[in-house]
Every structure is written in structure tokens, then in C-alpha cells.
Amino acid sequence: MLTPAIVRRNTPQRYRMEAAKCAKCGKVFFPPRLICDACKSRTFKPYTLPQEGTVVSHTVIRTAPRGFGDEAPYCMGIVELTDGTRILCQIADCEPERLEIGLKVAIEFRKIQEAGESGVIAYGYKAVPER
Ligand SMILES: [Zn+2]
């Protein structure tokens, strides 16, 4: 039987926004690492990233890689979350003209890609401007 705990354990970390926090110095890594580059500790605790942040850098992809052609143009950006962690992700539901440094966003779980004829759908996180 699939209990919520089993589903959670088997869900890839990219779906859960789960980072690793160094147990010794507190530095946060996303994606998680095996060794802390600040203090060389190998002990980490699971850490769930905040779901809100601010765009600190951005670009518009007009020539998309294979598999994403239907979506171009689309926005990508570096988002600084409220705890200071920075992540790179797509900024969805955002007209390129609206994209600016300082834009407040929320992190949402969205469809990333549907793989051609097989129809396999990949999910992950995207930033969405706050309304
Ligand atoms: Zn550390």
C-alpha cells in the first residue's frame, strides 16, 4: 500500500524543492551535495526551500532547445528565495515585457515537458509572478 510517507520518500527531490542543510555550518545546497564546500562536513539535514522569492536575473529564450520549441519565447531567471537560496528556473505565466529584476514570484509545481510520441510528462517547479 502506498502511504503518504512512501509516496513522499519516492518522489524525486526536484518535485519537492527539498534541499540539504549542512548540520555543522548551516549552509543550504540545492540540489543536495555529499560534502559541504564551506566546512567539509558530510552530515546534512533535509531542508524544504521556501516557496516565495524575487527575480534577481533573467533572460528570454527565443530559440528553444529541442522539445521546448512550442513554448518559445519563454522566460528563465535566477530567483532568490526568501531564505537567500538562489535557484534557476523558468518563469511561467509571464510576458517577456513584464520580466524585471525585483519581480515577486511564487514557486509552483508544473508540467515541464511532454516527451514527443511517448507522451511522457515531466513535472518540476516553475516560478510564477505573484498576482
Ligand atoms: Zn558546512
Side-chain angles (χ1 to χ4, degrees), residues 14-115:
R14 67 178 182 276
Y15 293 0
R16 281 190 264 134
M17 293 285 289
E18 189 169 281
K21 189 171 199 169
C22 176
K24 192 172 170 190
C25 75
K27 187 169 179 180
V28 173
F29 295 93
F30 182 76
R33 293 186 183 185
L34 293 175
I35 301 173
C36 175
D37 68 4
C39 75
K40 307 303 178 208
S41 170
R42 291 169 182 263
T43 308
F44 293 90
K45 295 174 184 167
Y47 174 80
T48 300
L49 293 167
Q51 304 293 296
E52 291 88 40
T54 305
V55 173
V56 295
S57 183
H58 59 79
T59 191
V60 177
I61 305 292
R62 298 185 190 280
T63 307
R66 197 180 334 157
F68 293 87
D70 293 349
E71 294 190 43
Y74 61 90
C75 305
M76 294 288 296
I78 296 174
V79 173
E80 186 171 285
L81 302 173
T82 52
D83 70 346
T85 305
R86 291 183 171 192
I87 63 171
L88 172 68
C89 63
Q90 185 176 341
I91 300 166
D93 300 347
C94 182
E95 298 301 318
E97 306 76 49
R98 191 176 166 203
L99 196 55
E100 61 179 4
I101 290 172
L103 180 71
K104 300 283 183 200
V105 292
I107 306 300
E108 293 186 0
F109 185 74
R110 291 285 188 92
K111 183 172 105 173
I112 298 288
Q113 186 182 25
E114 189 166 333

